[in-house]
Amino acid sequence: MIYIGAHMPIGGGFKRVPRETVEIGGNTFQIFPHNPRQWNASYPKEEDIKKFKEGLHKFNIMQQYMLCHSGYLINIASPKKDGWEKSLKLLIKEMEICSMLGIKYLNIHPGSHLGIGEEVGIKKIVEALNIALDSEKNTIILLENVTKKGGNIGYKIEHLKKIIDKVKYPERLGITIDTCHAWDAGYDIVNKLDEFLTMIDKLIGLNNLKFIHLNDSKNELGSNKDRHENIGKGKIGNDGLKVFLNHEIIKKIPWILETPGDNEVHKNDIKEVLKLVEVN
Ligand code: MN
Ligand code: MN
Ligand code: ZN
């Protein structure tokens, strides 16, 4: 069984997500827990939660196939006191929203050290995660690999490992691999896929790799750009994605599209992906 889906809109409430996931041909999804461009987030309404959960049941979407993605403003690596505190506060609120919705996994970008260095950034991240994981006990945080730009931490898998090793509750952390980010950060996930997975296994354990963000890339390997492209239209391309997706380990992990476009476009991307996969 292949688990595939997309980042879904929540504009009409969380309740629309399960049905729309199935309508685009999906069986797994990602959502934002609130408007990702705002600092203020509200808790979901009782009625919306109820209908969301009814939808999950009706469309048979299980907990391990649901993912929340943290908002864009959060930066728990920030060396600025007020920015860090605001980020931590909103992160905890996001975890609470996940918990209310029955969503176990919250995907975050580790954050940007804003120029003061990776070591200090990692320390700030660990400090924030320790407080967050103490304050909300249900959510598992997934660290997403990113690209090397703007002081980002997490363009190397080693960064993710360092964070996990230093956190008080390592068992409540996992990772997401974004194919576009990995590619743009210089990891050849096509020709050196086995090497890549072996490294993840050694550093973090493949059992802690919970989701794949499945995106083609507009740019060449190692470009450090982070511009997502629709399936088969980018530089990883259909041939590259075919190699990646048919790996036995990758096939067992849920794939979430974050390609440009709306539900209709994602419906088409899912079709394109399934054409590349050899089902046996
Ligand atoms: Mn992301
Ligand atoms: Mn991503
Ligand atoms: Zn990206």
Side-chain angles (χ1 to χ4, degrees):
M1 182 83 171
I2 296 294
Y3 284 88
I4 182 163
H7 186 98
M8 304 300 289
I10 54 159
F14 295 106
K15 60 177 185 282
R16 62 187 276 193
V17 174
R19 171 183 298 277
E20 290 183 5
T21 292
V22 170
E23 279 171 358
I24 66 166
N27 47 15
T28 176
F29 64 79
Q30 175 177 275
I31 51 174
F32 289 123
H34 61 91
N35 183 330
R37 290 184 175 82
Q38 288 180 6
W39 280 111
N40 61 322
S42 44
Y43 293 110
K45 304 244 174 350
E46 202 77 50
E47 185 63 16
D48 196 17
I49 296 173
K50 187 170 163 262
K51 288 191 171 148
F52 173 73
K53 289 183 175 173
E54 282 169 7
L56 295 175
H57 185 74
K58 182 171 177 193
F59 296 103
N60 197 26
I61 299 173
M62 287 165 285
Q63 196 183 43
Q64 67 265 43
Y65 302 113
M66 301 191 282
L67 180 60
C68 266
H69 192 302
S70 188
Y72 295 132
L73 302 178
I74 290 183
N75 180 13
I76 55 171
S78 178
K80 296 174 185 164
K81 190 169 185 287
D82 62 325
W84 183 84
E85 280 172 356
K86 266 166 89 174
S87 295
L88 172 58
K89 201 172 152 209
L90 183 53
L91 176 66
I92 292 170
K93 191 158 195 183
E94 289 183 342
M95 292 167 78
E96 289 165 354
I97 295 171
C98 285
S99 186
M100 291 169 83
L101 293 169
I103 296 179
K104 188 163 76 172
Y105 296 114
L106 174 61
N107 178 99
I108 70 167
H109 297 178
S112 167
H113 59 72
L114 303 175
I116 67 155
E118 287 170 1
E119 284 308 315
V120 185
I122 287 173
K123 207 176 140 234
K124 296 309 290 178
I125 294 167
V126 170
E127 226 177 292
L129 286 176
N130 281 342
I131 296 169
L133 292 166
D134 254 333
S135 136
E136 198 284 327
K137 305 274 189 191
N138 295 314
T139 309
I140 306 269
I141 300 279
L142 302 184
L143 305 170
E144 178 179 355
N145 70 308
V146 293
T147 55
K148 187 183 182 177
K149 60 174 197 180
N152 275 347
I153 292 163
Y155 62 89
K156 281 186 181 162
I157 305 302
E158 283 87 350
H159 296 160
L160 309 183
K161 177 193 168 50
K162 273 190 190 169
I163 296 165
I164 295 171
D165 281 354
K166 288 179 179 163
V167 162
K168 219 175 3 167
Y169 308 101
E171 70 283 0
R172 290 183 56 206
L173 293 186
I175 65 166
T176 300
I177 292 295
D178 184 307
T179 51
C180 169
H181 299 174
W183 179 262
D184 287 18
Y187 289 114
D188 188 343
I189 56 168
V190 178
N191 299 304
K192 294 182 178 168
L193 180 56
D194 273 315
E195 209 175 289
F196 182 63
L197 292 174
T198 303
M199 175 201 44
I200 291 175
D201 197 32
K202 271 193 191 142
L203 293 176
I204 292 166
L206 283 168
N207 57 323
N208 294 312
L209 168 53
K210 301 295 186 188
F211 282 87
I212 301 291
H213 279 167
L214 180 55
N215 305 306
D216 208 333
S217 170
K218 284 191 195 292
N219 296 286
E220 301 290 348
L221 179 70
S223 64
N224 290 323
K225 288 267 177 38
D226 188 8
R227 299 282 311 281
H228 301 191
E229 182 55 284
N230 296 95
I231 297 304
K233 296 192 174 141
K235 300 291 184 188
I236 307 175
N238 277 334
D239 292 344
L241 288 171
K242 196 168 179 170
V243 171
F244 180 81
L245 294 173
N246 285 293
H247 195 289
E248 282 312 311
I249 288 165
I250 299 299
K251 265 184 173 176
K252 290 184 190 125
I253 303 169
W255 307 336
I256 304 287
L257 296 161
E258 295 177 320
T259 48
D262 57 9
N263 284 357
E264 272 314 300
V265 180
H266 290 145
K267 186 176 181 175
N268 188 62
D269 272 337
I270 289 176
K271 268 193 209 140
E272 292 303 314
V273 168
L274 292 176
K275 278 190 221 162
L276 300 174
V277 184
E278 295 146 15
V279 186
N280 39 27

